Amino acid sequence: MIGSSVTIKNLNKWFDDFQVLKDINLKIKKGEFFSLLGPSGCGKTTLLRIIAGLESADSGDVLFDSESVLSMPPNRRPANTIFQNYALFPHLNVFENIAFSMRLKKMDENEIMEKVEKLLFLVKLEEHAYKKPNQLSGGQKQRVAIARALANEPKVLLLDEPVSALDAKLRQELLIELDNLHDQVGITFIYVTHDQAEALSISDHVAVMNEGRVVQYGTPYEIYESPADKFVATFIGETNLMKSKVEEVNNEFIKVTTPGIGEFVCYKDKEVNENAHILITLRPEKIKISKKPLKGENVFHGVIEEEIYMGYQTKYFVKLDEGYILKVYKQHINYLLDETILTWKDEIFVSWDPNDSYIVEVE
């Protein structure tokens, strides 16, 4: 199978007086795994439905390989959609669910048999070919839906929150299978999700949406490490947000003062002037924490107000001497009992590299 590139140009959509999509522009490369990520109501599913042909656009265009598809009905577009509720035929077994579209096209029976067997092998359901959907687990049903969609040999596979109905462990397993499947079939995947961990773990590129707009586009690394604004910083993972005033500007760094923290040095990723009021983001896992005094810049003293042990890491909420509550995540690289265990009410020191704190807003 060969994928298509997908280009969204100046796309707008209204429902009555409410504008759901606001001037969306995106370029999705041929054969990539692309995610539309955002909270409920941000417009991501509406955008997916317009790409599929299940909704109309009020203005703008959607192109597959430079050819506009807006005038094409859904059944003529080289795309198939996987829905959250699987949409399987309950009276047909797995084999017949996958073969359904091929039978509609009146394909040769031997060809149908060969193709379905290949798809069953691809989604690892050979042993379940003659079971009905009600005899399958949620993950197995989703794999049937994927195989049925691939039976049409689409150039673009559209996935609308396909694993949200599954439990956490099964979600992770199916995501890995989806990623492997994408590598095998080579077509373009456009994946809609509200779960930032899902999008970051499987995507080549991500478009973060909020209130009908694309607020940031980039690789998972770029989205997480360099959030474009306050919304992205808080929606993608967890962070410390610090309202600060610029005291001194140098070539690469700025010195700021922050209520509840004091003075520290931050990376200058945006142009700012002295006395400007800014918002800084600092990821909790970037911060060092120790009972012993730490060396370097941005070192502060505080007390652990709360600790949450999670096995692979512990989350600390540290009250600094000036009053700010700082979130600090410590990864447990070694056997925990071989480390100095930090606990509630311990006096500690925290520090972070200036390169790890970024400006997300300038007033």
Side-chain angles (χ1 to χ4, degrees):
M1 298 182 193
I2 301 172
S4 284
S5 63
V6 179
T7 304
I8 316 295
K9 287 186 176 180
N10 307 315
L11 200 70
N12 290 278
K13 174 67 178 178
W14 282 264
F15 288 135
D16 298 323
D17 295 330
F18 180 68
Q19 189 171 3
V20 184
L21 298 176
K22 303 170 184 176
D23 201 32
I24 303 293
N25 287 277
L26 286 171
K27 288 188 176 180
I28 302 168
K29 295 178 182 178
K30 183 179 296 188
E32 80 170 326
F33 201 126
F34 186 91
S35 288
L36 296 168
L37 172 65
S40 298
C42 73
K44 58 188 185 296
T45 294
T46 300
L47 177 55
L48 194 81
R49 288 175 63 82
I50 290 173
I51 296 170
L54 303 174
E55 291 281 357
S56 60
D58 290 307
S59 63
D61 207 352
V62 177
L63 301 97
F64 284 19
D65 289 335
S66 303
E67 180 184 357
S68 177
V69 296
L70 281 187
S71 60
M72 291 183 189
N75 63 322
R76 291 196 53 210
R77 298 188 189 191
N80 268 70
T81 306
I82 306 294
F83 297 101
Q84 183 178 332
N85 63 356
Y86 318 127
L88 301 178
F89 299 113
H91 62 290
L92 298 180
N93 62 31
V94 170
F95 186 101
E96 292 302 327
N97 262 284
I98 298 171
F100 184 80
S101 62
M102 291 180 270
R103 296 204 189 285
L104 284 180
K105 295 175 184 175
K106 302 189 185 303
M107 288 173 57
D108 177 76
E109 193 63 32
N110 289 332
E111 189 179 352
I112 291 174
M113 178 74 72
E114 183 181 349
K115 197 168 181 179
V116 173
E117 286 179 352
K118 284 182 180 178
L119 289 167
L120 285 167
F121 176 77
L122 192 65
V123 296
K124 301 175 184 176
L125 287 174
E126 307 100 301
E127 297 178 5
H128 305 280
Y130 299 103
K131 290 182 180 178
K132 296 286 183 66
N134 64 3
Q135 297 174 290
L136 303 175
S137 68
Q140 289 168 338
K141 290 176 185 177
Q142 194 58 272
R143 282 186 274 162
V144 177
I146 292 167
R148 187 177 63 180
L150 293 175
N152 288 321
E153 298 187 354
K155 294 184 176 181
V156 179
L157 189 64
L158 307 170
L159 302 108
D160 187 8
E161 306 219 31
V163 300
S164 61
L166 308 177
D167 63 61
K169 187 174 181 181
L170 193 54
R171 276 203 304 272
Q172 288 302 313
E173 291 175 359
L174 193 55
L175 282 173
I176 293 169
E177 289 181 16
L178 265 179
D179 200 17
N180 290 334
L181 186 64
H182 170 259
D183 293 339
Q184 292 179 63
V185 298
I187 65 174
T188 307
F189 278 29
I190 303 178
Y191 186 93
V192 161
T193 182
H194 65 275
D195 188 313
Q196 50 91 13
E198 285 180 16
L200 296 183
S201 64
I202 58 176
S203 307
D204 297 309
H205 286 91
V206 179
V208 183
M209 296 184 66
N210 187 36
E211 297 180 348
R213 299 186 188 277
V214 173
V215 292
Q216 189 168 0
Y217 164 89
T219 63
Y221 176 85
E222 290 166 342
I223 296 287
Y224 185 82
E225 296 288 348
S226 301
D229 60 15
K230 177 183 176 181
F231 170 79
V232 179
T234 53
F235 186 73
I236 307 295
E238 295 190 53
T239 195
N240 295 286
L241 288 176
M242 300 171 281
K243 293 181 178 180
S244 307
K245 180 185 176 185
V246 179
E247 300 293 345
E248 185 180 316
V249 180
N250 297 309
N251 288 335
E252 290 186 50
F253 300 97
I254 57 174
K255 187 175 287 184
V256 303
T257 53
T258 303
I261 298 178
E263 192 175 85
F264 65 89
V265 179
C266 170
Y267 180 66
K268 191 185 76 173
D269 59 312
K270 292 179 173 62
E271 288 301 318
V272 291
N273 299 316
E274 287 185 9
N275 298 317
H277 290 273
I278 62 176
L279 190 66
I280 294 171
T281 178
L282 173 64
R283 297 290 187 188
E285 71 275 8
K286 307 288 188 183
I287 304 169
K288 297 176 183 176
I289 183 169
S290 174
K291 284 187 178 181
K292 298 177 181 179
L294 295 165
K295 296 179 181 180
E297 296 183 275
N298 302 339
V299 178
F300 297 92
H301 178 266
V303 174
I304 295 175
E305 289 280 288
E306 187 177 349
E307 59 169 319
I308 303 172
Y309 177 70
M310 301 183 68
Y312 66 98
Q313 70 175 5
T314 298
K315 297 183 177 183
Y316 296 104
F317 294 82
V318 176
K319 186 173 184 179
L320 302 182
D321 289 350
E322 296 291 325
Y324 185 90
I325 304 295
L326 190 72
K327 286 183 282 189
V328 183
Y329 296 172
K330 181 176 174 59
Q331 302 294 316
H332 300 310
I333 300 171
N334 301 314
Y335 179 54
L336 183 59
L337 297 182
D338 288 341
E339 299 180 6
T340 301
I341 297 176
L342 306 176
T343 190
W344 182 60
K345 293 302 178 184
D346 276 352
E347 290 193 34
I348 51 81
F349 293 88
V350 294
S351 74
W352 63 90
D353 191 301
N355 287 289
D356 290 328
S357 48
Y358 293 88
I359 304 167
V360 288
E361 284 185 10
V362 180
E363 291 184 9

